[in-house]
Amino acid sequence: MPHLRIRGLEQAEVARLSETLPAALSRLTQTDESAYTTEWIPSQFFQQGKACRPTVMAEVLWFQRNEATQDAMESCIREQLMAYTQQGIAIVFIALDKRGYYRDGRHF
């Protein structure tokens, strides 16, 4: 944890991001790099019934930290995504409640 979900890029691009992004983010959160997971979500965007070029979207599922850390993470993620797209980029932080998170049957 944190868990990154990325839409609007090719699978190979997300795979390359997974090699660099966790290291950069772990320095900002003082979280071990191995705690990060990156998920590629293939998707098709539509507007008015027609397929369109996607906005690249990154969702960050995490145990919320302070706003300065969130802002630094957003900047880092956006900077790395810009290497792969000229489209718009949306980054959404989804705060998880530790009381509702279990790993392998144990409370986190």
Side-chain angles (χ1 to χ4, degrees):
M1 185 59 60
H3 180 81
L4 308 170
R5 295 177 181 159
I6 300 176
R7 293 176 176 82
L9 293 180
E10 297 296 323
Q11 182 177 11
E13 294 169 330
V14 174
R16 284 194 298 277
L17 275 170
S18 75
E19 295 173 346
T20 58
L21 192 52
L25 294 176
S26 70
R27 288 190 292 276
L28 297 173
T29 60
Q30 284 97 46
T31 302
D32 190 79
E33 185 178 338
S34 66
Y36 282 83
T37 56
T38 306
E39 178 182 4
W40 171 64
I41 300 178
S43 59
Q44 176 62 63
F45 288 65
F46 294 88
Q47 287 182 326
Q48 300 177 341
K50 294 185 170 75
C52 63
R53 295 181 69 184
T55 295
V56 173
M57 179 176 281
E59 296 174 340
V60 181
L61 287 79
W62 70 334
F63 300 130
Q64 190 162 8
R65 289 147 171 101
N66 62 54
E67 191 170 352
T69 300
Q70 180 174 301
D71 290 347
M73 286 183 66
E74 186 281 335
S75 180
C76 179
I77 294 166
R78 183 173 26 83
E79 184 177 299
Q80 290 211 21
L81 289 174
M82 287 171 60
Y84 298 97
T85 185
Q86 300 301 311
Q87 299 299 104
I89 296 172
I91 300 170
V92 178
F93 288 82
I94 302 169
L96 302 175
D97 183 345
K98 287 184 180 184
R99 295 173 298 164
Y101 186 85
Y102 294 81
R103 182 178 293 165
D104 298 327
R106 295 194 333 208
H107 216 273
F108 195 84

